[in-house]
Amino acid sequence: MPLERAVTPVPSARQLAADFWPGYAATALVAFLFACTGPVAIILSVGARSGLAESDIASWIFAAFFINSFISLGFTLYYRQPLVFLWSIPGAVLLAPALGHLAFAEAIGAYLATGALMLLLGLSGWVRRAMAAVPMPIVMAMVAGVFLRFGIDLVHAFRDDLWVALPMSLAFFVVGAWPRLARALPPLVAALLVGAAAIWFRGSFSPPQNLFLLASPNLYAPQFSWPAMVELVLPLAVTVLAVQNGQGIAVLAASGHTAPVNAITAACGAGSIVTGLFGAVPTCLTGPVNAILASSGERERHYSAALFFCALALAFGLMAPFFTRLLLATPPAFIATLAGLAMLRVLQSAFTASFGGRFSFGALVCFLVTVADVAIFRIGAPFWGLVLGLAAARLLEREP
């Protein structure tokens, strides 16, 4: 079995107490605030766009946080480094156009098939070759294409509700312009707080009577169909392995950690199968959260911040219906603005990676096809974007 072994023993309770101090708790809190603001707003935006019920969205959030936190706890303790798994944001964005012509059960079947593929790649050790098979510029062009609608929705939010979108955006950019302030108060959190104040001041918050609920997740029966398999499995697997996991492994390496690539891939596969049954998109190693957790303190003690993050994420998952109802009771412009602001840097990175070097023509073809969002044979545009982008690069940008 090619799964990597831990180089240090699992820490004892005494070692855990010695390695933890309030600075790591503060780092974990910043990472948690990031994870439960913009990324959750993206889930809510996709869910609303796709016509999912409130219970479907709450079940998705429960699985994404609660179940993935158990995987994160196990890996963080075993490898003694921050290895936090959440859900694939590009995978979430891919869902919205797919559900225009696929049933939710078909998408869940694709999640499970994606999980089985990643589990096979991790256990076999083939993941590195699979990651190298598709040029990154073309992958990122597909990501840019599916993310673009969030940037457009951010602009539309100014038209639909100026006095919610404007103060949120101002807070985001003002805080972001002061790096020292942004380290203590993430710009997205500042935007959320200012937006909540604007909503409260205008009296546009309309929560249901029974607001506080604990998790009661849905268990779905998957439906396996060829259109869903062809449209979703390859883009989902590519975005998890090349985009999300690749970013997570890179930020850990920059902090001095050697991430177990095969074991991470296998965990993403197994996690995707389990969380997919509750409606969540595939599991991935998260880049931004692990980057925050490994950003300060001693490298050997970074894992303690990840453990504290997992405790917060478990609690958030248990309260998923409460947070879902709370956020869905806000004006649509609030969610659109929060999700759009969360996507700005990601969208910028996607465009830079797509058009800043090799295979830029193939990336352009992929981007245009993805943005056009035309399904062919009930197979959505992201798949055709990858196929046609690769074909264009093969024909017109031949390289060794």
Side-chain angles (χ1 to χ4, degrees):
M1 296 282 285
L3 298 184
E4 299 86 348
R5 293 184 177 274
V7 296
T8 55
V10 175
S12 63
R14 180 177 296 180
Q15 184 68 51
L16 284 172
D19 286 341
F20 186 77
W21 66 286
Y24 294 116
T27 302
L29 181 60
V30 171
F32 171 72
L33 290 173
F34 168 83
C36 69
T37 50
V40 171
I42 292 166
I43 291 180
L44 294 170
S45 178
V46 170
R49 183 191 293 270
S50 307
L52 297 182
E54 178 188 303
S55 63
D56 297 323
I57 300 173
S59 184
W60 177 352
I61 294 174
F62 163 81
F65 278 92
F66 191 81
I67 296 176
N68 285 330
S69 289
F70 279 106
I71 302 173
S72 305
L73 282 170
F75 268 65
T76 297
L77 284 171
Y78 184 69
Y79 290 101
R80 209 185 285 199
Q81 61 178 288
L83 291 172
V84 172
F85 296 81
L86 288 173
W87 73 95
S88 168
I89 292 177
V93 179
L94 284 167
L95 182 64
L99 289 186
H101 50 274
L102 297 174
F104 191 37
E106 291 179 286
I108 290 172
Y111 298 164
L112 270 59
T114 304
L117 174 61
M118 292 191 294
L119 183 60
L120 173 64
L121 291 173
L123 294 176
S124 65
W126 297 339
V127 60
R128 295 183 189 274
R129 277 181 280 178
M131 290 171 66
V134 181
M136 183 58 67
I138 295 175
V139 174
M140 295 308 293
M142 183 197 70
V143 171
V146 296
F147 280 6
L148 184 63
R149 58 179 54 90
F150 285 90
I152 295 172
D153 286 347
L154 172 61
V155 177
H156 288 169
F158 281 80
R159 176 198 64 192
D160 299 336
D161 202 334
L162 177 65
W163 299 113
V164 170
L166 179 60
M168 291 178 68
S169 300
L170 286 175
F172 178 85
F173 288 109
V174 168
V175 172
W178 296 82
R180 189 172 297 178
L181 176 60
R183 283 194 292 269
L185 178 66
L188 270 177
V189 177
L192 183 146
L193 295 175
V194 170
I199 293 169
W200 183 266
F201 180 77
R202 299 179 65 222
S204 53
F205 180 65
S206 53
Q209 290 184 345
N210 188 14
L211 182 62
F212 187 82
L213 292 173
L214 292 177
S216 179
N218 301 331
L219 184 63
Y220 298 92
Q223 181 180 342
F224 299 97
S225 69
W226 281 113
M229 297 295 115
V230 173
E231 174 178 350
L232 290 175
V233 172
L234 178 60
L236 285 172
V238 166
T239 51
V240 169
L241 298 178
V243 181
Q244 299 274 193
N245 288 7
Q247 182 188 46
I249 292 165
V251 298
L252 288 172
S255 299
H257 297 285
T258 303
V261 176
N262 293 336
I264 287 170
T265 305
C268 290
S272 299
I273 293 171
V274 177
T275 60
L277 292 172
F278 296 94
V281 296
T283 298
C284 71
L285 183 73
T286 171
V289 168
N290 286 307
I292 294 170
L293 295 173
S295 63
S296 61
E298 301 174 27
R299 177 174 60 84
E300 295 78 10
R301 299 167 70 183
H302 286 160
Y303 78 95
S304 63
L307 296 177
F308 191 74
F309 173 91
C310 291
L312 296 173
L314 285 168
F316 189 86
L318 283 174
M319 300 178 67
F322 166 71
F323 290 110
T324 302
R325 287 194 166 190
L326 186 71
L327 290 170
L328 288 177
T330 61
F334 176 80
I335 299 297
T337 303
L338 197 61
L341 292 173
M343 282 295 186
L344 285 179
R345 288 292 187 187
V346 182
L347 195 56
Q348 179 192 22
S349 299
F351 275 113
T352 302
S354 301
F355 305 114
R358 300 187 307 160
F359 306 115
S360 58
F361 187 79
L364 176 62
V365 172
C366 177
F367 175 76
L368 292 175
V369 173
T370 304
V371 169
D373 196 19
V374 176
I376 304 173
F377 305 122
R378 291 189 68 220
I379 299 170
F383 170 80
W384 296 115
L386 280 176
V387 170
L388 296 176
L390 285 169
R394 177 70 176 173
L395 290 172
L396 301 175
E397 298 178 293
R398 294 185 179 183
E399 293 189 17

